[in-house]
């Protein structure tokens, strides 16, 4: 890099808030023609806007552990990144070959910020609470399991897409040339890495919660089919369905237990409710299975008692969110 250009930029280095508004000196020397500085100016403006985008992300995601409480607005950082990319296009055209690595590095850095932005939008989506409420209602009262399953499937697909974006951003960040970016006056990459880690923690917990709900709804569907078969006195079919339900609830509980141990503050209550539901539903499935086994062997008294125990467990599941 041209040393004079570097020194002009270095005077603006410092804390992120200062760096974010920093543009290099307008004059690299009296002998340079204005058109010769077009690429330099574009590169410097791209740096300033990328730094401001990083600052906006940093401020907007403060307290992201409670993602529902974060009022995140993606518009400002998204506009800044888009503008920076336009300046980089200009720089790529105007600068000589020995400056092209700078342009490429800044484009890669913009890719990291874009990935972070997409993940941030996903985890701060305020419809998450509505989706969980719909699933909880289906399990506790209204029984609209198919609708709840579609809701969970759509949410899990969104989380999977965000996870892919996060992986891409992490891979790109790892490959960045920190020294080159520091020479260009880009903010400390350690701050960016911290932001990615925070996003990964929340996203990972959401994905675990989603996988647990997926298994729990699968179990509830089996439980419902088993109860229908039991009413029709198809006891062998009922037993198979109740066994499948217990297995699915066990899988759900394993996911909820794993997720609860590392859940960020904003998701703790969701895990607690889900674990309560999964535990009581697994208990209910066990009672219904025992009732069908007793009915199959002609023990109607035991069958009736265990069926009542199962119904009571279902009522317990309905009280988990209260």
């Amino acid at each position: 890099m041209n040393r004079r250009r570097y020194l002009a930029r270095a005077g603006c280095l410092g804390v992120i808030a200062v760096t974010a508004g920093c543009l290099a000196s307008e004059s690299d020397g009296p002998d340079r023609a204005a058109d010769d500085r077009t690429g330099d100016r574009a590169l410097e403006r791209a740096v300033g806007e990328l730094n401001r985008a990083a600052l906006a992300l940093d401020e907007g995601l403060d307290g992201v552990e409670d993602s529902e409480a974060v009022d995140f607005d993606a518009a400002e950082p998204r506009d800044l990144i888009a503008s920076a990319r336009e300046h980089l296009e200009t720089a790529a055209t105007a600068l000589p070959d020995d400056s092209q690595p700078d342009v490429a590095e800044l484009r890669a850095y913009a890719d990291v910020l874009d990935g972070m932005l997409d993940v941030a939008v996903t985890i701060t989506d305020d419809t998450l609470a509505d989706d969980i409420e719909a699933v909880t209602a289906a399990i506790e009262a209204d029984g609209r399991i198919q609708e709840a399953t579609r809701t969970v499937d759509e949410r899990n697909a969104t989380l999977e897409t965000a996870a892919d974006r996060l992986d891409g951003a992490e891979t790109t960040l790892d490959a960045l040339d920190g020294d080159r970016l520091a020479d260009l006056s880009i903010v400390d990459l350690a701050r960016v890495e911290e932001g990615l880690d925070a996003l990964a923690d929340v996203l990972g917990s959401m994905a675990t919660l989603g996988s647990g709900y997926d298994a729990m709804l699968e179990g509830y569907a089996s439980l419902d089919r088993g109860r229908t078969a039991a009413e029709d006195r198809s006891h062998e079919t009922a037993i198979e369905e109740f066994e499948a339900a217990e297995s699915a609830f066990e899988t759900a509980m394993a996911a909820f237990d794993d997720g609860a141990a590392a859940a960020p503050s904003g998701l703790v209550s969701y895990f607690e409710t889900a674990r309560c539901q999964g535990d009581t539903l697994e208990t209910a499935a066990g009672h219904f299975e025992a009732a069908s086994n007793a009915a199959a062997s002609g023990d109607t008294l035991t069958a009736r008692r265990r069926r009542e125990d199962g119904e009571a467990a279902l009522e317990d599941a309905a009280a988990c969110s209260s």
Side-chain angles (χ1 to χ4, degrees):
M1 165 180 274
N2 182 289
R3 180 170 177 76
R4 182 178 293 169
R5 283 169 51 202
Y6 168 68
L7 291 175
R9 291 183 186 130
C12 295
L13 288 174
V15 298
I16 186 170
V18 175
T19 307
C22 174
L23 294 178
S25 169
E26 287 294 319
S27 59
D28 286 339
D31 297 330
R32 295 194 61 183
D35 58 347
D36 290 340
R37 302 201 323 271
T38 298
D40 289 339
R41 287 173 174 171
L43 196 72
E44 291 154 1
R45 287 166 180 160
V47 167
E49 291 183 344
L50 288 174
N51 281 334
R52 286 193 287 275
L55 175 60
L57 272 167
D58 189 58
E59 292 179 342
L61 294 176
D62 185 34
V64 74
E65 294 81 6
D66 188 1
S67 56
E68 287 187 14
V70 174
D71 185 17
F72 179 69
D73 184 0
E76 180 186 3
R78 199 178 293 283
D79 288 345
L80 286 167
I81 294 169
S83 179
R85 289 191 186 278
E86 291 178 2
H87 288 309
L88 290 174
E89 287 293 330
T90 300
T93 301
L95 289 173
D97 290 346
D98 62 357
S99 294
Q100 296 305 315
D102 291 346
V103 175
E105 203 67 24
L106 290 171
R107 281 173 169 162
Y109 177 65
D111 290 341
V112 173
L113 297 183
D114 260 334
M116 292 178 66
L117 185 58
D118 288 345
V119 175
V121 169
T122 297
I123 68 174
T124 57
D125 182 358
D126 57 11
T127 63
L128 173 66
D130 296 335
D131 287 352
I132 292 177
E133 183 178 340
V135 174
T136 299
I139 290 172
E140 294 182 351
D142 63 24
R144 292 181 289 182
I145 298 302
Q146 289 185 341
E147 181 179 335
T149 298
R150 283 194 298 271
T151 297
V152 170
D153 287 345
E154 290 171 1
R155 175 66 60 175
N156 285 345
T158 300
L159 294 174
E160 185 175 349
T161 298
D164 290 341
R165 290 289 282 143
L166 184 70
D167 289 344
E170 289 175 335
T171 299
T172 303
L173 179 65
D174 290 341
L176 289 178
D177 185 339
D179 291 338
R180 181 181 294 276
L181 290 174
D183 286 351
L184 289 165
S185 301
I186 283 294
V187 298
D188 186 0
L189 292 184
R191 295 286 296 274
V192 178
E193 185 174 4
E194 289 173 4
L196 274 171
D197 289 343
L199 291 172
D201 288 344
V202 178
L203 182 62
S205 288
M206 286 184 173
T208 300
L209 188 65
S211 67
Y213 273 127
D214 186 51
M216 187 159 65
L217 288 170
E218 179 184 339
Y220 195 97
S222 292
L223 182 66
D224 197 40
R225 289 192 297 269
R227 294 174 71 195
T228 299
E231 290 174 0
D232 294 339
R233 301 183 184 277
S234 301
H235 301 304
E236 294 302 322
T237 299
I239 291 168
E240 291 177 2
E241 292 289 358
F242 292 139
E243 288 176 345
E246 286 183 277
S247 177
F249 292 140
E250 184 178 350
T251 298
M253 285 298 294
F256 295 144
D257 285 340
D258 288 344
S265 59
L267 295 178
V268 169
S269 63
Y270 293 137
F271 276 102
E272 290 175 346
T273 298
R275 291 173 76 239
C276 174
Q277 291 171 330
D279 184 42
T280 53
L281 289 172
E282 185 177 0
T283 298
H287 286 312
F288 286 127
E289 180 189 352
S292 290
N293 274 312
S297 64
D299 186 352
T300 57
L301 179 60
T302 298
R304 179 173 60 81
R305 287 176 176 172
R306 297 305 295 272
R307 191 161 46 248
E308 290 173 352
D309 290 339
E311 296 294 342
L314 288 180
E315 291 180 5
D316 289 340
C320 283
S321 61
S322 60

